[in-house]
Amino acid sequence: MVPAEDGEATNSDTLLRPPEQGHGPGHGSTRNRQRQGSPARRLGMTRRLKKDFKETENPEEAQKRHKEFELKPLYKELLYTIAHRHGKPSTKEVYTGEQLYHYIQQAFNMTDDEHHALMEKVQATEHPVCALQVVIKEAKGLLGKDISGLSDPYCILSILQNSKERSTRRAQAKPKKAVVKDAASEKEIFRTDVKKQTLNPKWDQTFVLEFEDTVGASLHVEMWDKDEELSLVQKLEDLGSNLQQGLARMIKDAKKEKGEDDFLGNIKLQLENLHCTEDSWYILEPRTETYPDRGKCHLQLKFIHKERDGTLSAGRSAYVNYCGILQQFVQAHISKQEGSGSWKGDLCEEGTALLEFYATQNDLSPFLQDLGKWVAYSKLYQSLEVDSTVLFQQLTSIEYHWDQQELPYQQKQELGDSLHGFLQYGLCLVAKYRDIFLPKPTSTSRLHTLLRVMVQICKTRAFQKLNPAQFDLHVEVADAVKTGTEEWFNIKKGLHQPMTKDLSEIVSALSKLISEIKEDIRLSKDMWNRVFVSAVQVDVFTVVYQRMDSLLAVEMRETLSQVEQQMEQSLANALFPVYLSLQAIHKDKAFVQKRNNLLQLTNFQECFREALPYWLNKAFSTTMERVEKAVQVDQLQPLHGGPAPIKHSSSAVDLAACLQPIAQLWEQLSWPDPEEGFMLMVKLTEDMCKISSTYCQMLKQRVKKLSEDSDQGCAINMLCVVVNDLEHLRSVLTHLPVQLNWAGLRERTRHVITDGQFQNTLPSQLQHTQAALSREIRSAVDTLGRQLNTDIESYVRSMATRRRLPSKSTEDAVYPLMRYLEKELQYMNENLVQENFNSLLTPLWTNSLKILHQVSTQEEGNLVYFQRLHYTLQCLEQCFHAGGNGLPLETLQTDEYKVVKTHLTQNALDSRQLIEKFLERKVWDQKVISGEKYGAVTLITCYRRSEHKLHVEVLNASSLIPLDSNGSSDPFVQLSLEPRHLFPEVETRSTKIKSCDLNPLFEESFEFMVSLEQCQAPGASLVVTVLDHDTLRSDDFEGEAFLSLRAVPGVGGKDAQSPDCDTPPAQIRLPLMHPKPNSDSYLKLLEARREDREAQAFVKLRRQREKKSQEV
């Protein structure tokens, strides 16, 4: 299981030596044991003593001496045992003598000549006195032979030859129940005690019965009821307790002779059918069938040698011989396994049978046998592959026998020394567990089982009784681990000792040592701690960590003190892995239990302050070099591959990878001091921002260089890639706070850095760099959009040129522009990332609106011209929105867009539509007017569908303004239906003139023959004009009001679809209005269409009204 040199002496000669001879003076004293050195030191001393002895003796002579004085006596004992064996072994198969001889010859490696020579010596020895040891334990269920219903049982036993028994039976005239009494002499008969008045007697008496041969011999055990003479008074008392059975018993007693005992039953066993040892219940057989069920008796039988030749093994005790034989059998068995794993405690059946024969013949108790197995196995464990479960079994057996049987003094001492010696050996293995038990599942399970065996030893009553001094296994294991850890550290330190005093070699040696320590601590935490905690409740990780902490702190300070004031880049680079390893070790302190004192490596980072600037400079310079190389080889072509297209170039990917080590450096450093950590983060962020800005400038130079020899298409394509690269870089910087865990840093520095200081430093740096990148992106996007803007303006102006107006339809005129935009925007969408494409669309859309507005203001009055521009605006909106995939409607429909759309929409209407819009606006103004500044007029209106007539009754006017010199007016009302193109045949109607009346009462009705469709047409209105009649000049304007015909009862509403339903008339009061001169945009548009007579006539009428208006 473990190397021989890791245990005590393992040669067979020392194993067979009595235990007290193998230890120094006072070895059995616990006080002396505690004064001894550590397990490792004792072990080393033992090895040195053994080595010196072996060097002075020839190995061949030693082997010859061992065979002559150790193995041959044991071999003779086994030859003697085989020759004089009796009984069957407990094995499945019964082996012949030749088979057993062959087995021991191989086990002891004896030649044929040696075997025959030793066989002759054994045959010349005295034969043993063979005997059967019988232990009569108890009986139960016996017959009651006394008047009381009970019996006074006792047993007689003897060994009889079958021939003698038969002759005795033939000599008897009448068969009798007694056989032993008549067939054996008195000295051959053995008797137990008489147990009074019981049917379940217990004797537990041992008898040794000699015999010459088992063939034809049998063991007879007869059980009798002792019959004593009783007085009549006593018999009557017994009779009263059991009348019926008592009478029968009295009658039977009267017939038999006085003093004659009653037969209870017998047992007859053929010796040649018995095993070496028997422990069974045997049924008591009757002589007649009167009472067939007579109970049973518990017997323990064993074939022993009452006397045995003492010259076979030079006076050694049978116990010592048993241990030697057992060890030799085990060694032979293990040697035949040929690497099939550790020994599980099983032997071949021949060996098991021989051990059983020997132990039985020499009457070795089970306790001594288990003790011998423990001593042998525990010693074999130190040199051979013995499974620890074998030791568990023997410890359990010893614990079971401890209270059952008292051991002799010498065996007690041997057991105590063996248990304590195994513990000391186990502690030696524990101290060197790193070297002996490799970190793999099979080895850890072996260590775990060893520790459990040690725990089990300490729990046994034998160990507690034989080792009264205090032995705390928990403390002993912890001390052994501490000692072993220090020795392991010193060994590793010596292995990595630098050959010269060169600082780089010194630092390299320290780095290798710390790496090994880090790995050892990891194994202690992840693997060994589970083993020790589950087995002995020792937190081996805490023990190892605290010891390593103190040892490593001293070593680190001694080494780094040599580097002070001599720091340079190469040394700093060599120190970085040292720092990382120490940091990993320091992080494991969270798993340390019962930390009473501050760990010595708590502020380990202070030793590396001098190297920190060199680490930062190294990271910055290395990253900058990689970025420069990435840009130099970048052809500014988008990468291809994968399910999603990649629109940036190789340098953008390389840049993100190059920045990653700087972020990783921050994570690796994990600087414990919060304030210093904040300054470190400021430096790292500054470096990353500087690298990003430099990358931006290098990209601009690179695209400029590559564009010199390229056509315009390639140049635009490269510029698109540059924009995407910058956008990718901005995205990388956006994730920087999360990547560097600024939130965690903010929490750590909250007590030393204010929120204002934090925000004005780190986020400010990043925002400044991102703003610079955004400006560069906008500049590049503007460059891409500049040509597009120029082309869009050319297409718009070409489309709207007057000379092209009659040649094409509106759709055909706009098609070239839309085809161009579709092609260019598709190209940009394919070559720009979505963010940059959107940033290109927004200014392009804004500029398109400006172009449309500029072009629309350069031409007036041309309807076709504005219709094309209006259609172009609609097409552009659909193009830039792209069904929701382009710019959102919120971005498109700006205030500027609304102005342009309104302007183009109005100019794209024909004259009649403009007049309708004008009237609709007047109706709206009529609804929202407040007050009656110029008076009001009251009407009653309705539309009679059955007659297709519009009925209007003018009731009165009120609060009119005086327009005559006498301070009054001569008002009358004109009614006209507008627009005229809807009502060309309807004449204007007028009321009578009311002289000198500012509140005239008219009460005149008028009817207009118009259709319902005319009344429901857009802009259809009733225009009410109030005039002041003048005889010598034109009438003066009092005011006007507008009423939408859709508001007239019977025109609109829910009854609009019922042709024969007439709605009751309704009264309405309309305030009078005066138009504001030159304020209406629709009139201006109509006025601009000088070639349209209808428009000019309408404008002329309205301008005349405006001249008479009192509004300014």
Side-chain angles (χ1 to χ4, degrees):
M1 181 172 184
V2 293
E5 61 269 24
D6 289 324
E8 297 178 359
T10 58
N11 285 344
S12 300
D13 54 346
T14 55
L15 285 172
L16 298 179
R17 189 183 307 156
E20 60 272 13
Q21 298 178 12
H23 302 281
H27 184 76
S29 172
T30 307
R31 182 178 302 173
N32 289 338
R33 290 178 195 143
Q34 293 177 348
R35 292 178 181 175
Q36 293 175 1
S38 68
R41 288 196 292 273
R42 277 201 306 279
L43 184 61
M45 182 178 65
T46 304
R47 286 202 296 263
R48 287 194 296 272
L49 291 175
K50 281 181 58 182
K51 184 176 180 181
D52 295 342
F53 174 76
K54 289 181 179 180
E55 288 177 353
T56 59
E57 185 178 14
N58 187 347
E60 294 182 359
E61 292 294 330
Q63 185 177 4
K64 183 178 180 181
R65 182 177 62 84
H66 170 69
K67 191 172 186 178
E68 185 68 29
F69 295 100
E70 300 295 340
L71 297 184
K72 286 186 177 181
L74 297 179
Y75 196 79
K76 289 189 291 183
E77 287 283 350
L78 287 174
L79 292 176
Y80 192 85
T81 299
I82 296 171
H84 303 290
R85 70 188 186 282
H86 294 291
K88 301 176 183 179
S90 60
T91 57
K92 296 180 180 179
E93 185 178 350
V94 178
Y95 295 93
T96 64
E98 291 300 323
Q99 290 175 318
L100 296 177
Y101 288 142
H102 178 72
Y103 170 76
I104 64 172
Q105 184 177 353
Q106 288 186 333
F108 281 76
N109 198 21
M110 293 291 177
T111 63
D112 292 339
D113 293 339
E114 291 172 334
H115 172 75
H116 292 307
L118 294 174
M119 179 67 79
E120 291 178 359
K121 292 182 180 180
V122 170
Q123 291 173 350
T125 59
E126 295 182 4
H127 287 210
V129 176
C130 297
L132 178 65
Q133 179 179 285
V134 181
V135 180
I136 299 181
K137 302 291 290 184
E138 58 182 321
K140 59 183 179 181
L142 303 181
L143 291 177
K145 292 291 187 177
D146 294 340
I147 298 176
S148 62
L150 301 177
S151 297
D152 301 324
Y154 70 95
C155 297
I156 61 175
L157 60 158
S158 180
I159 294 178
L160 300 177
Q161 293 292 327
N162 294 339
S163 59
K164 187 175 182 180
E165 177 188 358
R166 287 193 295 271
S167 63
T168 302
R169 289 184 181 276
R170 287 194 299 268
Q172 295 175 348
K174 178 181 178 181
K176 294 184 177 181
K177 298 176 181 178
V179 174
V180 175
K181 291 181 179 179
D182 299 331
S185 62
E186 188 64 27
K187 63 180 181 179
E188 294 177 342
I189 298 174
F190 298 86
R191 286 182 172 82
T192 66
D193 298 334
V194 178
K195 299 298 178 180
K196 297 290 186 177
Q197 295 298 294
T198 180
L199 299 181
N200 300 294
K202 294 185 179 181
W203 290 284
D204 200 13
Q205 290 183 259
T206 302
F207 305 93
V208 178
L209 285 71
E210 297 181 4
F211 64 89
E212 293 181 359
D213 194 1
T214 59
V215 178
S218 58
L219 170 66
H220 289 262
V221 180
E222 294 180 353
M223 194 171 296
W224 296 84
D225 170 42
K226 185 67 177 178
D227 207 2
E228 298 179 352
E229 294 186 11
L230 297 177
S231 66
L232 181 60
V233 175
Q234 291 175 329
K235 290 184 178 181
L236 289 175
E237 289 177 354
D238 294 339
L239 179 62
S241 61
N242 192 347
L243 181 61
Q244 182 177 358
Q245 185 177 357
L247 289 174
R249 186 72 253 175
M250 289 182 66
I251 296 172
K252 190 172 183 179
D253 287 345
K255 295 179 180 180
K256 71 177 183 179
E257 299 179 2
K258 293 183 177 180
E260 184 179 354
D261 295 338
D262 294 321
F263 180 76
L264 294 178
N266 75 322
I267 299 170
K268 178 181 176 182
L269 300 174
Q270 298 292 333
L271 296 189
E272 58 185 345
N273 295 329
L274 295 178
H275 287 82
C276 299
T277 57
E278 295 271 1
D279 188 349
S280 302
W281 286 85
Y282 297 94
I283 296 176
L284 293 171
E285 301 291 341
R287 292 296 186 187
T288 65
E289 298 299 327
T290 306
Y291 298 104
D293 186 6
R294 293 175 173 267
K296 51 187 176 181
C297 183
H298 182 195
L299 302 180
Q300 291 180 348
L301 310 176
K302 183 192 295 185
F303 287 103
I304 65 173
H305 288 176
K306 187 175 181 181
E307 294 180 6
R308 189 179 175 96
D309 192 301
T311 63
L312 295 172
S313 56
R316 286 198 186 100
S317 67
Y319 167 75
V320 174
N321 289 336
Y322 180 85
C323 294
I325 293 170
L326 173 63
Q327 179 177 315
Q328 190 64 29
F329 283 175
V330 173
Q331 287 178 335
H333 181 79
I334 294 176
S335 64
K336 293 180 179 179
Q337 286 186 328
E338 297 179 356
S340 59
S342 56
W343 182 56
K344 304 294 184 181
D346 54 332
L347 280 176
C348 63
E349 291 197 344
E350 295 95 325
T352 303
L354 285 170
L355 287 172
E356 185 178 358
F357 282 134
Y358 186 83
T360 303
Q361 292 174 7
N362 290 275
D363 196 17
L364 290 178
S365 67
F367 196 179
L368 285 177
Q369 294 179 48
D370 289 330
L371 174 60
K373 291 178 180 178
W374 160 256
V375 173
Y377 295 168
S378 62
K379 289 182 179 180
L380 287 172
Y381 179 85
Q382 302 176 23
S383 59
L384 299 175
E385 296 251 350
V386 178
D387 193 279
S388 301
T389 56
V390 179
L391 303 180
F392 268 119
Q393 296 172 1
Q394 301 311 315
L395 286 174
T396 304
S397 298
I398 291 173
E399 182 72 2
Y400 170 77
H401 291 302
W402 181 255
D403 292 332
Q404 306 292 329
Q405 179 182 348
E406 182 73 16
L407 280 177
Y409 174 78
Q410 183 177 1
Q411 273 68 46
K412 280 186 178 180
Q413 289 297 108
E414 181 181 15
L415 177 59
D417 292 342
S418 176
L419 294 175
H420 192 275
F422 187 85
L423 286 176
Q424 295 301 325
Y425 174 73
L427 291 175
C428 291
L429 298 184
V430 169
K432 296 180 175 295
Y433 72 91
R434 295 174 178 85
D435 303 321
I436 297 175
F437 304 98
L438 300 179
K440 55 184 181 180
T442 54
S443 298
T444 54
S445 62
R446 287 163 46 205
L447 175 59
H448 185 265
T449 309
L450 170 64
L451 293 172
R452 286 180 55 210
V453 170
M454 296 170 68
V455 171
Q456 189 66 25
I457 289 175
C458 295
K459 288 181 178 180
T460 58
R461 285 169 292 176
F463 179 79
Q464 296 170 2
K465 181 72 174 177
L466 300 175
N467 295 270
Q470 185 68 26
F471 185 91
D472 190 339
L473 182 62
H474 184 279
V475 175
E476 295 288 340
V477 170
D479 290 342
V481 171
K482 288 180 184 178
T483 303
T485 299
E486 186 171 355
E487 291 180 354
W488 181 87
F489 179 87
N490 292 328
I491 290 173
K492 294 298 181 182
K493 178 182 175 181
L495 289 175
H496 297 298
Q497 194 72 22
M499 301 301 295
T500 65
K501 294 184 178 181
D502 183 68
L503 292 178
S504 60
E505 288 194 18
I506 294 175
V507 172
S508 176
L510 178 63
S511 177
K512 294 177 182 178
L513 174 62
I514 294 178
S515 296
E516 293 215 36
I517 293 173
K518 181 182 73 171
E519 179 64 15
D520 183 72
I521 291 177
R522 185 191 68 80
L523 291 174
S524 299
K525 175 170 65 72
D526 298 340
M527 182 173 292
W528 299 120
N529 200 54
R530 292 196 301 268
V531 175
F532 280 87
V533 169
S534 62
V536 290
Q537 288 74 51
V538 173
D539 185 4
V540 74
F541 169 74
T542 298
V543 175
V544 171
Y545 189 92
Q546 291 179 338
R547 191 68 192 122
M548 288 292 191
D549 175 73
S550 57
L551 294 171
L552 187 55
V554 174
E555 182 66 21
M556 185 188 69
R557 292 189 179 96
E558 289 180 356
T559 303
L560 295 184
S561 62
Q562 304 178 40
V563 185
E564 291 182 357
Q565 307 302 324
Q566 301 185 51
M567 187 61 64
E568 57 183 17
Q569 189 65 54
S570 60
L571 278 179
N573 295 343
L575 282 173
F576 188 67
V578 175
Y579 175 86
L580 294 182
S581 297
L582 285 174
Q583 184 190 66
I585 293 173
H586 185 63
K587 285 181 180 179
D588 286 336
K589 71 177 181 180
F591 301 97
V592 174
Q593 305 295 325
K594 299 179 182 179
R595 199 184 335 166
N596 298 325
N597 301 321
L598 188 67
L599 296 173
Q600 297 187 32
L601 289 176
T602 300
N603 297 318
F604 72 96
Q605 78 279 358
E606 295 178 357
C607 301
F608 296 90
R609 280 201 180 98
E610 191 176 354
L612 183 58
Y614 291 92
W615 296 343
L616 299 177
N617 180 66
K618 176 66 174 178
F620 176 78
S621 59
T622 302
T623 303
M624 188 61 76
E625 291 175 0
R626 292 177 179 176
V627 170
E628 290 178 357
K629 292 180 181 178
V631 175
Q632 289 174 1
V633 300
D634 193 357
Q635 298 300 317
L636 299 182
Q637 296 297 323
L639 298 175
H640 298 284
I646 301 175
K647 299 181 181 181
H648 45 263
S649 63
S650 60
S651 63
V653 178
D654 294 339
L655 176 65
C658 292
L659 291 178
Q660 182 63 28
I662 297 183
Q664 187 178 2
L665 175 64
W666 164 254
E667 184 178 353
Q668 289 175 330
L669 289 175
S670 296
W671 202 260
D673 186 86
E675 190 170 3
E676 293 179 353
F678 175 74
M679 300 307 297
L680 180 59
M681 176 60 74
V682 171
K683 174 61 177 172
L684 290 175
T685 305
E686 179 183 351
D687 289 347
M688 297 180 81
C689 291
K690 187 182 297 184
I691 292 171
S692 301
S693 301
T694 305
Y695 172 74
C696 181
Q697 299 302 319
M698 288 190 292
L699 266 187
K700 291 170 63 177
Q701 296 175 6
R702 181 64 175 169
V703 71
K704 183 178 180 181
K705 179 180 179 182
L706 294 178
S707 300
E708 292 177 354
D709 301 328
S710 303
D711 56 16
Q712 184 179 2
C714 292
I716 293 176
N717 185 37
M718 287 188 287
L719 187 58
C720 290
V721 173
V722 169
V723 173
N724 295 335
D725 289 346
L726 296 180
E727 184 63 38
H728 183 71
L729 174 58
R730 185 168 63 176
S731 175
V732 171
L733 293 180
T734 302
H735 295 88
L736 197 60
V738 177
Q739 189 177 10
L740 296 179
N741 192 17
W742 282 7
L745 179 63
R746 171 72 284 214
E747 292 299 322
R748 288 178 52 206
T749 58
R750 194 170 294 280
H751 63 288
V752 292
I753 305 294
T754 64
D755 289 339
Q757 290 175 321
F758 192 90
Q759 294 296 328
N760 293 332
T761 308
L762 288 178
S764 178
Q765 279 183 327
L766 192 58
Q767 291 168 4
H768 177 74
T769 304
Q770 287 179 320
L773 284 176
S774 298
R775 289 194 297 271
E776 294 293 342
I777 291 174
R778 284 198 301 271
S779 176
V781 169
D782 291 343
T783 302
L784 289 173
R786 195 174 296 119
Q787 183 63 41
L788 291 176
N789 290 329
T790 303
D791 294 341
I792 290 174
E793 183 175 3
S794 299
Y795 276 105
V796 171
R797 292 188 181 279
S798 175
M799 171 192 65
T801 302
R802 177 177 292 274
R803 61 184 177 82
R804 297 193 176 210
L805 290 180
S807 61
K808 293 183 179 180
S809 63
T810 301
E811 292 79 3
D812 293 338
V814 177
Y815 178 74
L817 170 62
M818 302 315 300
R819 183 180 59 183
Y820 168 78
L821 274 179
E822 181 180 359
K823 176 183 176 182
E824 293 299 324
L825 293 182
Q826 181 180 0
Y827 175 82
M828 294 298 176
N829 187 33
E830 292 175 353
N831 289 276
L832 290 176
V833 296
Q834 190 64 39
E835 295 82 357
N836 292 333
F837 181 66
N838 291 339
S839 63
L840 172 66
L841 288 180
T842 302
L844 194 62
W845 167 252
T846 303
N847 191 69
S848 298
L849 292 177
K850 291 180 181 179
I851 293 172
L852 287 176
H853 185 68
Q854 291 173 1
V855 173
S856 66
T857 57
Q858 295 174 5
E859 185 75 25
E860 293 182 355
N862 193 321
L863 179 61
V864 178
Y865 181 81
F866 284 104
Q867 287 177 344
R868 288 187 178 182
L869 293 180
H870 183 261
Y871 183 71
T872 301
L873 178 63
Q874 293 177 339
C875 293
L876 288 176
E877 183 179 3
Q878 294 178 0
C879 179
F880 280 89
H881 183 56
N885 296 321
L887 295 178
L889 293 176
E890 295 80 7
T891 304
L892 293 172
Q893 297 175 356
T894 60
D895 292 340
E896 184 178 4
Y897 161 81
K898 294 176 181 178
V899 171
V900 174
K901 182 177 181 182
T902 301
H903 176 68
L904 295 179
T905 301
Q906 293 176 355
N907 282 274
L909 298 175
D910 58 24
S911 298
R912 291 184 175 183
Q913 290 175 327
L914 288 175
I915 294 173
E916 293 170 359
K917 291 293 183 182
F918 171 81
L919 293 173
E920 288 176 351
R921 181 179 291 177
K922 286 298 181 180
V923 171
W924 175 256
D925 293 342
Q926 185 72 55
K927 291 180 180 179
V928 299
I929 190 174
S930 60
E932 297 178 353
K933 179 180 179 181
Y934 302 105
V937 63
T938 302
L939 307 175
I940 295 177
T941 62
C942 71
Y943 181 77
R944 295 172 182 171
R945 298 186 180 185
S946 59
E947 301 176 358
H948 299 287
K949 291 181 181 180
L950 175 67
H951 175 78
V952 179
E953 182 179 355
V954 181
L955 291 180
N956 59 39
S958 61
S959 304
L960 298 178
I961 58 175
L963 296 176
D964 292 342
S965 58
N966 59 4
S968 184
S969 295
D970 303 322
F972 69 96
V973 177
Q974 282 186 350
L975 301 176
S976 64
L977 295 181
E978 300 288 348
R980 298 307 301 171
H981 61 269
L982 287 179
F983 306 99
E985 298 179 356
V986 179
E987 297 179 355
T988 302
R989 307 290 182 87
S990 299
T991 65
K992 294 179 181 179
I993 300 171
K994 300 295 181 178
S995 299
C996 299
D997 193 350
L998 296 180
N999 297 288
L1001 180 64
F1002 297 103
E1003 293 183 342
E1004 297 183 36
S1005 297
F1006 303 93
E1007 289 183 347
F1008 299 90
M1009 185 66 71
V1010 292
S1011 66
L1012 182 61
E1013 288 76 11
Q1014 288 176 304
C1015 295
Q1016 293 176 344
S1021 306
L1022 173 64
V1023 181
V1024 182
T1025 307
V1026 181
L1027 299 171
D1028 173 38
H1029 177 71
D1030 286 332
T1031 305
L1032 299 178
R1033 53 179 180 172
S1034 61
D1035 299 331
D1036 296 324
F1037 180 68
E1038 283 282 354
E1040 62 182 357
F1042 296 84
L1043 176 63
S1044 174
L1045 295 184
R1046 293 182 180 181
V1048 174
V1051 175
K1054 61 182 180 180
D1055 297 328
Q1057 303 299 327
S1058 302
D1060 298 330
C1061 181
D1062 293 335
T1063 305
Q1067 180 177 310
I1068 184 170
R1069 184 179 179 88
L1070 300 173
L1072 297 177
M1073 301 185 300
H1074 280 223
K1076 293 181 180 181
N1078 298 319
S1079 64
D1080 194 281
S1081 60
Y1082 291 113
L1083 285 180
K1084 293 180 180 179
L1085 293 175
L1086 289 169
E1087 191 173 20
R1089 299 179 181 179
R1090 302 185 184 279
E1091 298 178 358
D1092 191 336
R1093 294 180 180 181
E1094 185 178 358
Q1096 294 301 315
F1098 183 80
V1099 172
K1100 181 180 180 181
L1101 177 61
R1102 295 311 303 173
R1103 295 303 184 196
Q1104 290 175 354
R1105 291 279 173 93
E1106 290 176 0
K1107 289 179 182 180
K1108 296 179 179 181
S1109 173
Q1110 294 186 13
E1111 291 289 332
V1112 178

